[in-house]
Amino acid sequence: MSHDIKKVSRNTDNAPQNSVSTQTVAFSHYNNISAQLPIDPKTDDIVIGSVKDQAKQCLANIKAIVESIGHVMDDMVKINVFVKNIEDMDAIDEVYATFFSTPFPTRTVIAVKELPLSDALVQMDALISNGEGTAPQTPCALVKVSRNTKNAPLTAISTQTVAFSHYNNLSAQLPIEPATGKLIAGGVKEQTEQCLNNIKAILASIDHVMADIVKTTIFVKDIADVAAVNEVCNAFFEGYVPARTIVNAAALPMGALVQIDTVVSHGDGTPPQPPEDTQFIVIEASNSDKAPHAPYSHTVAFSHYNHISGQLPIDATTGEIVSADVAEQTKQCLNNIKAIIESVAHVMDDVVKVNIQVANIEDIDVIDSVYSSFFKQELPARTVFAVSTLPMGARVQIDAVISNCEGTPPQA
């Protein structure tokens, strides 16, 4: 496995450009696409119209980026949809379905408090397959493998799991009973257990287990439910806990209290990769004393990527929020990420994707002034939205995905 794989950052004039992010950042066999707002790239103005018009523009922007790097929309592995009003999803889905052939990508949908532009009703980011890899990898015709099982909830607009190369991305799982298609009865603990049982069923259907999960993003309707959610999660992971980010959703589909999104290692790879050569790739979980303690792994590496848990502006030495000032909080979040990255012998410019949640969307300009100073080369792909509440009353939370050119054992 080469230690010289290159990160490739690209922009196109056919989609909106941003001074603090790159439209698409490719590394190895995946491309990470920055969240796209409903902005017309010809005018740099937001599309004023219905949510359908805005959804179409978001997807047209993603399509323009995808095509600018020699790909097509059906190379999509995962899409995240962030909406102002969860009731708009039926209208969005009408537009969404026209951009893909079946099988659909995996998908996560949440409602958020605010989007970066006040008139925006929807925002989408994406992950696409990159069979050609990045230099000096030799291009190969890797196959995208999309699968469903009747043992977990099925939807007409997404696939339960899409594998490509050495990763599986699952659609976010709601607390739905597969037999009835309805939310399970009970509170947040019961709902969390159902989400995890759905994930477990999907993994079992593709001969994987919960210990193959490298990252979870847990969306909760009430931030006060986090302790109860963590308690249930602990029962599903023994000895090893994946990287994790907790996000406060303004609303979730079907009025759910919790929804869980997962990224899964796929050592057997997808054809034509020979399973016997790759099925024993090791997951490497790591923690650093220089970042705040958490009941999950700071970073989990698998194959050519590292997934970093959501970092709050907590001083590792005190366990407390550093300051009420958003600039100081942003600096602390990024210093925590930097400490984790450096603990596994990487640098900030190895970051390919950043996700930022803020308590007040008006803080973005201040956050950006700090954010940009942490990178020397092309900026990562990025997604930003506002949430109602962050843990510990923080004003900002940041997680990241970083490139891992050395790979994980036993490949070298």
Side-chain angles (χ1 to χ4, degrees):
M1 187 176 295
S2 174
H3 286 227
D4 301 315
I5 300 171
K6 305 298 182 185
K7 185 177 78 170
V8 181
S9 304
R10 290 170 286 191
N11 289 305
T12 174
D13 292 336
N14 295 327
Q17 297 194 24
N18 191 313
S19 63
V20 289
S21 66
T22 304
Q23 289 169 352
T24 175
V25 179
F27 185 79
S28 189
H29 289 140
Y30 281 95
N31 270 287
N32 296 266
I33 296 180
S34 288
Q36 295 300 303
L37 288 159
I39 296 172
D40 184 336
K42 295 178 182 178
T43 63
D44 280 334
D45 292 328
I46 191 167
V47 171
I48 302 299
S50 69
V51 71
K52 284 187 178 182
D53 296 327
Q54 292 201 1
K56 184 177 181 180
Q57 187 65 57
C58 291
L59 288 160
N61 291 341
I62 289 173
K63 184 178 181 183
I65 295 167
V66 168
E67 292 179 346
S68 76
I69 56 174
H71 282 265
V72 296
M73 289 294 276
D74 285 326
D75 292 333
M76 202 72 65
V77 171
K78 175 72 182 287
I79 286 196
N80 296 305
V81 182
F82 308 96
V83 295
K84 282 290 297 295
N85 302 301
I86 203 71
E87 296 83 5
D88 284 339
M89 280 312 303
D90 286 345
I92 290 170
D93 284 348
E94 288 182 32
V95 177
Y96 180 88
T98 67
F99 278 79
F100 302 97
S101 303
T102 56
F104 288 101
T106 62
R107 196 173 76 161
T108 295
V109 174
I110 68 163
V112 300
K113 185 178 79 169
E114 295 290 345
L115 292 167
L117 292 175
S118 59
D119 291 328
L121 301 173
V122 60
Q123 173 180 257
M124 302 182 199
D125 69 13
L127 181 69
I128 70 168
S129 59
N130 190 47
E132 66 272 24
T134 53
Q137 290 176 315
T138 302
C140 59
L142 294 175
V143 175
K144 187 177 76 171
V145 180
S146 304
R147 291 172 285 193
N148 289 308
T149 173
K150 293 180 180 179
N151 295 328
L154 295 163
T155 73
I157 206 75
S158 66
T159 303
Q160 288 169 351
T161 174
V162 176
F164 186 78
S165 187
H166 292 313
Y167 275 92
N168 268 289
N169 285 267
L170 271 60
S171 286
Q173 291 301 300
L174 289 160
I176 297 170
E177 291 181 309
T180 66
K182 297 180 180 179
L183 288 183
I184 191 169
V188 71
K189 284 189 174 183
E190 290 79 10
Q191 290 201 8
T192 303
E193 184 174 4
Q194 185 65 51
C195 291
L196 290 165
N197 278 329
N198 290 342
I199 290 167
K200 189 175 181 180
I202 295 169
L203 293 180
S205 75
I206 57 173
D207 297 322
H208 281 268
V209 296
M210 295 294 280
D212 292 332
I213 294 173
V214 297
K215 172 72 189 293
T216 60
T217 303
I218 301 177
F219 302 96
V220 293
K221 182 69 173 61
D222 187 346
I223 205 71
D225 286 339
V226 169
V229 170
N230 283 339
E231 182 182 337
V232 178
C233 286
N234 290 343
F236 280 78
F237 299 98
E238 296 183 8
Y240 156 71
V241 183
R244 183 181 300 172
T245 298
I246 304 288
V247 177
N248 182 203
L252 292 168
M254 300 179 68
L257 301 176
V258 62
Q259 176 179 246
I260 302 180
D261 189 349
T262 45
V263 180
V264 180
S265 64
H266 186 55
D268 39 315
T270 54
Q273 292 174 319
E276 63 272 15
D277 289 346
T278 57
Q279 62 185 345
F280 300 114
I281 300 174
V282 175
I283 290 176
E284 290 187 330
S286 179
N287 288 290
S288 170
D289 292 337
K290 295 182 179 180
H293 171 77
Y296 37 80
S297 302
H298 282 154
T299 175
V300 178
F302 181 78
S303 189
H304 286 140
Y305 280 91
N306 267 287
H307 298 261
I308 311 294
S309 290
Q311 293 300 304
L312 291 162
I314 297 172
D315 185 326
T317 59
T318 66
E320 302 292 335
I321 297 286
V322 290
S323 163
D325 180 70
V326 71
E328 289 301 314
Q329 289 200 12
T330 304
K331 184 177 180 181
Q332 187 64 51
C333 291
L334 290 163
N335 275 329
N336 291 342
I337 289 173
K338 184 180 180 184
I340 294 167
I341 288 174
E342 290 179 349
S343 75
V344 292
H346 280 268
V347 297
M348 289 294 283
D349 283 319
D350 291 333
V351 174
V352 295
K353 175 71 192 296
V354 168
N355 300 297
I356 303 176
Q357 298 93 47
V358 297
N360 186 343
I361 204 69
E362 295 177 357
D363 286 340
I364 287 297
D365 287 346
V366 175
I367 289 169
D368 284 347
S369 66
V370 177
Y371 176 85
S372 299
S373 69
F374 276 76
F375 302 94
K376 297 177 182 177
Q377 299 174 10
E378 293 92 345
L379 290 164
R382 198 174 80 160
T383 297
V384 177
F385 56 86
V387 296
S388 300
T389 309
L390 286 166
M392 299 178 69
R395 297 178 69 175
V396 60
Q397 175 177 250
I398 305 176
D399 71 14
V401 181
I402 70 170
S403 58
N404 189 46
C405 64
E406 68 273 23
T408 53
Q411 301 194 30

